[in-house]
Amino acid sequence: MRYAAHRLAQAVPVFFATTFVIYAMVFVLPGDPILALAGDKPVPDQVLDVMRERYHLNDPLLVQYGRYMLGLLHGDLGETFTGQPVSELLQDRWGVTAQLAATAWIFELAVGIALGVVAGLRRGGVADTAVLAGTTFVIAAPVFVVGYTAQIVFGLNLGLFPTAGTDEGWPGSYLLPGMVLGSFGLAYVARLTRTALVENLRSDYVRTATAKGMRRRRVVGVHALRNSLIPVVTFLGVDFGNLMAGAVVTEGIFNLPGIGQQVFQSIQLQEGPVVVGVTTVLVMIFIAANLAVDLLYGLLDPRIRRARA
C-alpha cells in the first residue's frame, strides 16, 4: 500500500503538468475559433465580442486553465463553441475507440508474446529469422500502407472481414482494424520478449534449475519467462494509451466513428475544447496504465517493490 501510494502521489504533478502543456498548445494556436465556426459568413464585431466573452477567450491563459480544471473536478470536460457538452459529444465515440484499442492490445499481447517465445527458444533457427524479418517489415511499413493493404486483401478480395463501419459490432467489425492497429505493437512485443528470454536463458539461475533436473517447460515458463515479461509489461502498459491516441489513421481507413475521427474533425474546425477534453482523458489513461505497470512490477519481481517503497 505504501508503494502504491507513493506512485500515485508522483502521478498528480504529472497530470497537472501535462494537461497544462496540452491546454496551452491548443489555445495559443493562431486563428480565431469563433470565425472558424462561422466559416465564410461575415460576423458582426458585437457578436464576436459576445461569443469571446461567453467562452472566456479574452481571459489570460492561466485563468482559462484554472476554470477548466475546476470544471474537470466536477466531471465537466467543457463545451464546444456550439454549446454542446464535450462529454455528450464523445459519449458514443469512446466505446468505438475503446473496443478498437482493446482488440489491438489483446492481439499484440497474445500473438506478440507467443512469437517472441518461439523465436527466443529457437534462437538462430528458421522461426527466429522469420519473426525478426516479419517484425522488421511491419515496423518499417507506414500504418496507412498496412491498413489499406489489409482492407483490400482480407476484406475485399478474400471477404474474411468487413471492410468498413461497425455494423457487425464487436468483434466482427473490429478484428481487421484491431490487427492493423496492433501490428506495430506486436512487432515490438515479439522482439522484446525474444531478447529478454534469450538473455534470461543464459542466466545462472536457469542453469542451476536445469542442473537440478527441473523440467524444461517449468524452467522456461515459471522462471525465465516471468523475468522476461518485465520489459514487455512496461511496453504493453504504455502502449494501451498509445493505441487509444493513435487510432486516428486506422479509424479513418475503416470508417470507424471513434474519438480519433472526432479529434481530426475538431482540429480542422479549431474546436479547442474538444481536443483538450479528449487529450485530458487520454492523459488519465496513460497515468493509470503507468501506475498499473508499476504495481505489476512489484508482483513480477518483489525486489523492485522493496527498492521503490
Side-chain angles (χ1 to χ4, degrees), residues 108-109 111-120 128 131-132 135 183-197 232 235:
E108 67 182 47
L109 167 68
V111 180
I113 292 178
L115 291 177
V117 170
V118 171
D128 185 27
V131 169
L132 292 177
T135 54
S183 60
F184 304 94
L186 179 149
Y188 288 108
V189 169
R191 283 175 166 266
L192 283 172
T193 305
R194 182 239 181 220
T195 302
L197 185 59
V232 178
F235 178 81

Side-chain angles (χ1 to χ4, degrees), residues 247-278:
V248 178
V249 177
T250 307
E251 289 179 357
I253 294 173
F254 293 94
N255 194 27
L256 301 177
I259 60 169
Q261 188 184 81
Q262 181 62 57
V263 169
F264 181 73
Q265 295 173 355
S266 299
I267 292 175
Q268 290 181 313
L269 297 174
Q270 297 186 23
E271 281 282 4
V274 178
V275 179
V276 172
V278 170

Side-chain angles (χ1 to χ4, degrees), residues 65-209:
Y65 175 73
R67 184 177 287 106
Y68 174 75
M69 293 306 297
L70 287 176
L72 188 63
L73 292 176
H74 295 87
D76 183 13
L77 293 175
E79 63 178 18
T80 67
F81 293 122
T82 59
Q84 183 180 11
V86 174
S87 56
E88 180 181 309
L89 179 66
L90 302 176
Q91 184 175 0
D92 296 330
R93 293 180 177 266
W94 279 114
V96 174
T97 301
Q99 290 179 85
L100 175 61
T103 304
W105 193 81
I106 294 172
F107 174 68
E108 67 182 47
L109 167 68
V111 180
I113 292 178
L115 291 177
V117 170
V118 171
L121 293 178
R122 293 167 173 79
R123 180 173 176 264
V126 176
D128 185 27
T129 304
V131 169
L132 292 177
T135 54
T136 301
F137 171 77
V138 170
I139 293 173
V143 61
F144 63 87
V145 173
V146 177
Y148 282 120
T149 302
Q151 188 180 49
I152 293 172
V153 174
F154 299 107
L156 292 177
N157 295 344
L158 299 179
L160 299 177
F161 303 98
T163 56
T166 59
D167 294 338
E168 295 191 13
W170 192 89
S173 297
Y174 294 89
L175 284 177
L176 186 58
M179 286 188 288
V180 170
L181 181 61
S183 60
F184 304 94
L186 179 149
Y188 288 108
V189 169
R191 283 175 166 266
L192 283 172
T193 305
R194 182 239 181 220
T195 302
L197 185 59
V198 168
E199 292 179 356
N200 280 290
L201 288 175
R202 298 172 177 173
S203 302
D204 292 336
Y205 70 88
V206 171
R207 287 195 292 267
T208 301

